[in-house]
Amino acid sequence: MNITKTYRVKGMHCASCASIIERTVKKFDGVENISVNSGTENAKISYDESKNNPKDFNAKLEPLGYSLIMDNHEMTAGEMGMSEDEHAEHLGLNQSKNEKLKEINDMKKRLSGAIPVAIISILIMAWDILSKYNLVVEMSATTSTFLHHLLPIIATYIFVILGKPYLLGVYRFLRYGKANMDTLIGLGTSVAFIYSFIVTAFENVLRPYINVQNNFYDITIIVITFIALGKYLEAKSKIKTGDAIEKLLGLQAKTALVIRDGKEFEISINDVVLGDIVIVKPGQKIPVDGVVVEGTSFVDESMLTGEPIPVEKNIDTQVVSGTINTTGTFNFKATKVGSETLLSHIIKMVEDAQGSKAPIQALADKISAVFVPIVLVIAFASLGAWLYFGIPTIGLSQALSFGLTSFVGVLVIACPCALGLATPTAIIVGVGKGAKEGILIKDAETLETLYKANIVVVDKTGTITKGRPELTKIDAQSEMSEQEIITILATLESKSEHPIANAIVQFAKEKKIEIKNINNFEIIKGKGLKGTIDDVEYFAGNVKILEDLHISYDTNKLDKETKEGKTPVLLLVKDKLLAIVYVADQIKPEAIEMVKALHKLGKKIIMLTGDNKNTGEYIARQVGIDEVIGEVMPEDKLNVIKDLQSKGNIVVMAGDGVNDAPALAQANVGIAMGTGTDVAIESAGITLLGGDISKLVKAVRLSKMTMNGIKQNLFWAFIYNIVGIPLAAGLFYPVFGWLLSPVFAGLAMAMSSVSVVANSLRIKTKTL
């Protein structure tokens, strides 16, 4: 049986690490797919559990320096309410915050001993350089001799203690043929250190052949320290990218006050079961999802909707875990607990999205897979070229010195870290920012597709309009009184969940008109409904009902009313039109601004509606929509989406997720307008909690910000290597005399990853 699980990965540092893990695990029989994300440090593996298990994978991965953490699993009911540290796998980097902070503190301790040494080396190097230009006095013989013996000692300390991960990288490369970033750093610094050690140990023997004053101890010290400092800063920055999950976890209440056997008990939310009556007092977090059964209050739902104004809660209204009761006390019945609560779904969805890969990352992944071997070839080729062309022209000593400088510089500066972090860090921040705004994104691909989309298709009811239409006019076409008309219509519509039906039923309730019993009720798809009341079969619906029953009617009057934005509902029997009632829906105030903003973002807006086309066009004119397609049934909406796609368009569909489900599924990006309590958030590519259409614009802006961030990251990662590697190799030396010192290569490499993460974090500061 095939299963799909996500595991934390220990020991992963760069995109090359991800590539090694993917290639290693893919070789197992029964592994269907694996996706490793170096940004989130996790691996999503689909495999046949009858053939493989994580222990098998680790048997191959551990010798290479990696391991899957096998305690990673989805949140269960028993886990909700644990402390944040106990939710190790649910934090921003899919790693326990305590564990990550411990790793950062260990790095800090090692650096605290290395940085003073590196500063001494930098001062010595600077003194030596400045003295050549007579800017400072030349070192005395005593000082020079002292430093000559001191540098090998401190270089050995740095090389062995701080450089241990890189030495292990070299060992694994020699033992298993697998190379990553640590291998490059390890090879470069090892060559520099070993060469320097040989020169020092055999100084008198080598003096006639090479300049024994040229050693690389300072380079070994400074490069390793700079790179370790860069990894430390990168780790500190990365932990900030995933704080959205941590904040979501912090919303969860730890206990609940329940009524059992007439008594109040404070229990862990792990022990709350379906049907429990939960008491919520002012200022308390709502522990699980449920329905109010007693009392009234106002609840702060900003964690769902991003809106700061508390929402009134009365009997029969729904409440959601993680939201905060602000005023009165109320009781509610638990309807969803543990992993079934909306907050749990949101956390899981954000986690999955942050760990997913955008299509734009494919190129970076392909390059990362071959990056390290190519860099090794370039490094050895540059050393060979310096020796081959340099010895006849500048002599062995200088050619060897330049060759080793280029060899070390190429290995040090060529780091795939920035390339690997470019996409996932931006995705993590972007998805987290969306979650805070009530915009739930299914995966990174959805975010990229939304950015590329050129057409936005919206449903009228509940999207452009409030979805709460009101009955505005009754036009009798027979001897029936208005009360009789509403009685029959309300009885028929009482069985429907359509917003227009609700408007008619609500009108009847307000007028205290009775609703009768109905038999043989049936929905006529896309047209209306029918049923038997007092032994008479009645029909209610749109003008297509007239056609089905072959009843003629002058539609000019209908056209006049619909052009004013009213939707007609016809009441008929088999051979006669009895009445027409008109229902009007109000435009959402934010819809007009939404359309303007989407136009500025370069999107064309098309409105689909099952209502009369005149009604749709009237609404469209008020809002500024580009095109209207009216009187469409659910399958027609699907066909419209297909037709738009067949013309090469990338289509976004926004709807209520119920009758729009086929169209939402067909669209390149489906956006569900959800209240946050009654929507299956996994069903659409993007869910806008609270049903706020203005968030559609925010979602598009977020996609633009995130994709621009990714493009900026990739651009600088590529440019950095495209320029840095040839410069370090000495390609520009014959023409310009430029040769990059490994010290500056180490600094540039260390800062490249930090700059990518910092650029991604800028997304947090931007306003949607």
Side-chain angles (χ1 to χ4, degrees):
M1 177 182 174
N2 273 13
I3 60 171
T4 300
K5 286 191 175 182
T6 300
Y7 300 94
R8 286 190 290 120
V9 182
K10 188 175 181 180
M12 183 163 58
H13 306 299
C14 63
S16 293
C17 296
S19 178
I20 290 170
I21 295 166
E22 286 182 352
R23 293 198 306 268
T24 302
V25 175
K26 274 182 182 177
K27 291 178 181 178
F28 281 87
D29 181 35
V31 173
E32 182 180 323
N33 188 44
I34 175 172
S35 176
V36 181
N37 191 313
S38 59
T40 56
E41 298 175 10
N42 66 24
K44 188 175 184 180
I45 310 174
S46 299
Y47 62 94
D48 187 341
E49 62 179 343
S50 66
K51 295 182 179 180
N52 304 114
N53 62 65
K55 291 182 180 179
D56 297 329
F57 303 146
N58 276 344
K60 292 288 186 182
L61 291 173
E62 285 173 355
L64 304 179
Y66 315 108
S67 61
L68 305 179
I69 307 302
M70 288 178 281
D71 61 355
N72 193 20
H73 53 279
E74 293 185 4
M75 189 183 296
T76 63
E79 290 176 315
M80 292 301 294
M82 290 182 178
S83 69
E84 291 166 12
D85 291 332
E86 291 173 308
H87 284 295
E89 69 277 17
H90 292 292
L91 291 179
L93 298 175
N94 288 342
Q95 190 173 10
S96 162
K97 188 175 182 182
N98 279 347
E99 182 182 337
K100 198 68 181 176
L101 289 174
K102 182 178 181 297
E103 179 184 329
I104 291 171
N105 285 332
D106 289 342
M107 295 168 71
K108 185 177 180 180
K109 287 177 183 177
R110 291 196 297 271
L111 278 169
S112 63
I115 288 176
V117 173
I119 291 172
I120 292 171
S121 296
I122 291 170
L123 292 174
I124 294 170
M125 184 183 292
W127 192 352
D128 187 48
I129 293 171
L130 293 174
S131 65
K132 289 179 181 179
Y133 295 96
N134 297 318
L135 296 174
V136 295
V137 295
E138 194 173 344
M139 282 186 201
S140 66
T142 304
T143 304
S144 180
T145 302
F146 172 74
L147 295 176
H148 184 70
H149 292 91
L150 176 65
L151 277 177
I153 296 171
I154 59 178
T156 302
Y157 165 77
I158 296 293
F159 183 63
V160 174
I161 303 301
L162 200 61
K164 183 179 178 181
Y166 314 119
L167 295 177
L168 288 173
V170 175
Y171 166 75
R172 292 178 184 124
F173 172 60
L174 298 175
R175 177 73 174 80
Y176 302 105
K178 305 291 186 182
N180 59 11
M181 182 203 79
D182 290 349
T183 307
L184 297 180
I185 305 304
L187 274 175
T189 54
S190 294
V191 167
F193 179 81
I194 292 169
Y195 171 80
S196 302
F197 184 81
I198 291 172
V199 169
T200 303
F202 302 99
E203 184 175 340
N204 293 329
V205 176
L206 296 173
R207 192 183 304 275
Y209 308 103
I210 61 174
N211 183 356
V212 294
Q213 299 302 315
N214 285 342
N215 62 61
F216 295 93
Y217 286 128
D218 47 5
I219 287 174
T220 303
I221 295 166
I222 298 170
V223 165
I224 290 177
T225 304
F226 274 166
I227 291 170
L229 177 62
K231 291 182 73 173
Y232 168 74
L233 295 174
E234 177 192 326
K236 285 195 71 176
S237 299
K238 277 176 66 179
I239 205 167
K240 295 177 184 177
T241 63
D243 62 1
I245 296 290
E246 187 178 357
K247 289 180 179 178
L248 286 171
L249 285 168
L251 295 172
Q252 180 62 57
K254 303 298 183 285
T255 61
L257 188 62
V258 301
I259 300 175
R260 291 179 179 173
D261 299 324
K263 297 180 180 179
E264 295 182 7
F265 297 93
E266 186 172 7
I267 61 175
S268 167
I269 66 163
N270 303 336
D271 300 323
V272 178
V273 297
L274 294 177
D276 267 340
I277 302 300
V278 183
I279 303 171
V280 185
K281 296 180 179 179
Q284 290 184 338
K285 294 178 181 177
I286 295 171
V288 295
D289 295 358
V291 177
V292 177
V293 294
E294 183 181 344
T296 61
S297 185
F298 286 85
V299 173
D300 179 357
E301 294 185 339
S302 57
M303 57 79 71
L304 287 179
T305 63
E307 299 299 328
I309 301 174
V311 179
E312 186 175 6
K313 298 295 179 181
N314 299 303
I315 293 174
D316 292 334
T317 55
Q318 294 177 308
V319 290
V320 178
S321 62
T323 56
I324 301 172
N325 182 27
T326 61
T327 53
T329 298
F330 65 88
N331 299 352
F332 73 91
K333 182 179 180 181
T335 57
K336 291 180 182 178
V337 299
S339 61
E340 297 303 313
T341 64
L342 179 66
L343 181 57
S344 297
H345 281 298
I346 292 174
I347 292 171
K348 182 66 170 61
M349 190 174 185
V350 173
E351 281 184 316
D352 290 345
Q354 289 184 334
S356 62
K357 289 186 178 183
I360 197 173
Q361 192 175 342
L363 177 61
D365 287 345
K366 288 178 182 178
I367 292 174
S368 297
V370 297
F371 188 84
V372 172
I374 290 174
V375 168
L376 287 170
V377 171
I378 294 173
F380 281 104
S382 63
L383 174 59
W386 273 108
L387 294 176
Y388 182 79
F389 295 107
I391 291 174
T393 55
I394 59 177
L396 172 63
S397 180
Q398 198 168 4
L400 181 59
S401 178
F402 283 173
L404 288 173
T405 298
S406 294
F407 179 82
V408 176
V410 168
L411 292 177
V412 169
I413 201 168
C415 171
C417 283
L419 203 58
L421 291 170
T423 300
T425 52
I427 292 295
I428 291 169
V429 176
V431 168
K433 185 177 182 68
K436 292 176 185 177
E437 296 280 350
I439 303 167
L440 301 184
I441 300 159
K442 189 172 186 179
D443 52 39
E445 184 175 358
T446 297
L447 203 59
E448 182 174 340
T449 306
L450 179 60
Y451 168 75
K452 294 178 179 178
N454 61 316
I455 290 181
V456 177
V457 178
V458 294
D459 182 49
K460 178 178 76 69
T461 305
T463 304
I464 298 298
T465 61
K466 292 180 179 178
R468 295 188 298 274
E470 299 175 352
L471 195 154
T472 60
K473 184 177 181 180
I474 302 172
D475 185 3
Q477 301 290 315
S478 65
E479 302 80 20
M480 293 179 70
S481 67
E482 289 190 357
Q483 182 168 335
E484 290 175 320
I485 291 169
I486 297 303
T487 298
I488 301 300
L489 263 180
T491 301
L492 285 168
E493 300 288 5
S494 65
K495 298 295 184 181
S496 171
E497 295 181 355
H498 194 281
I500 289 177
N502 292 337
I504 295 171
V505 172
Q506 186 63 35
F507 183 84
K509 287 181 179 178
E510 291 172 0
K511 299 295 183 180
K512 297 182 180 180
I513 296 174
E514 69 169 322
I515 294 178
K516 297 186 174 183
N517 293 326
I518 185 171
N519 299 311
N520 304 319
F521 176 81
E522 181 182 337
I523 292 176
I524 306 170
K525 193 174 181 182
K527 300 175 183 178
L529 40 82
K530 67 178 181 177
T532 303
I533 303 169
D534 295 335
D535 298 325
V536 178
E537 187 177 43
Y538 292 96
F539 298 82
N542 56 34
V543 292
K544 292 180 180 179
I545 292 282
L546 287 172
E547 299 169 5
D548 284 1
L549 297 176
H550 305 291
I551 298 174
S552 60
Y553 178 76
D554 183 2
T555 58
N556 288 331
K557 189 174 182 181
L558 277 175
D559 289 343
K560 183 185 176 210
E561 297 287 351
T562 55
K563 283 178 181 177
E564 295 177 3
K566 299 173 185 175
T567 299
V569 178
L570 286 66
L571 177 63
L572 314 92
V573 289
K574 280 188 177 181
D575 58 354
K576 186 178 181 181
L577 176 63
L578 301 177
I580 304 172
V581 300
Y582 295 94
V583 174
D585 195 0
Q586 299 298 311
I587 294 170
K588 289 184 176 181
E590 62 270 22
I592 297 173
E593 291 303 317
M594 179 270 293
V595 170
K596 287 181 181 177
L598 287 177
H599 281 152
K600 287 182 181 179
L601 290 165
K603 313 295 182 185
K604 178 182 178 181
I605 300 97
I606 297 175
M607 186 174 77
L608 301 184
T609 176
D611 290 339
N612 182 281
K613 188 174 181 179
N614 288 334
T615 303
E617 288 180 344
Y618 176 80
I619 298 291
R621 284 193 299 273
Q622 288 184 291
V623 178
I625 287 171
D626 301 299
E627 183 180 342
V628 176
I629 303 176
E631 299 176 26
V632 291
M633 291 187 286
E635 59 266 29
D636 295 327
K637 294 182 181 182
L638 175 65
N639 292 332
V640 169
I641 300 296
K642 286 182 177 179
D643 182 59
L644 290 169
Q645 290 171 328
S646 70
K647 296 174 183 176
N649 295 300
I650 300 175
V651 182
V652 175
M653 171 69 186
D656 60 17
V658 182
N659 66 326
D660 298 320
L664 286 171
Q666 177 62 37
N668 299 92
V669 177
I671 299 181
M673 309 296 297
T675 63
T677 55
D678 60 358
V679 67
I681 60 177
E682 299 91 343
S683 63
I686 294 176
T687 301
L688 307 181
L689 296 179
D692 184 354
I693 190 63
S694 65
K695 288 180 183 174
L696 175 56
V697 177
K698 290 185 176 183
V700 175
R701 285 176 180 154
L702 179 64
S703 71
K704 184 177 180 180
M705 288 178 189
T706 306
M707 294 309 300
N708 284 343
I710 289 172
K711 288 179 178 180
Q712 291 163 4
N713 289 345
L714 288 173
F715 172 79
W716 288 112
F718 278 119
I719 289 296
Y720 161 80
N721 284 296
I722 288 170
V723 174
I725 292 175
L727 183 61
L731 196 64
F732 300 114
Y733 186 82
V735 180
F736 302 105
W738 296 346
L739 185 62
L740 185 68
S741 166
V743 170
F744 292 105
L747 179 61
M749 176 265 172
M751 293 300 104
S752 64
S753 297
V754 177
S755 64
V756 163
V757 177
N759 188 52
S760 298
L761 286 170
R762 286 196 313 119
I763 298 171
K764 279 186 175 185
T765 64
K766 295 184 177 180
T767 303
L768 290 178

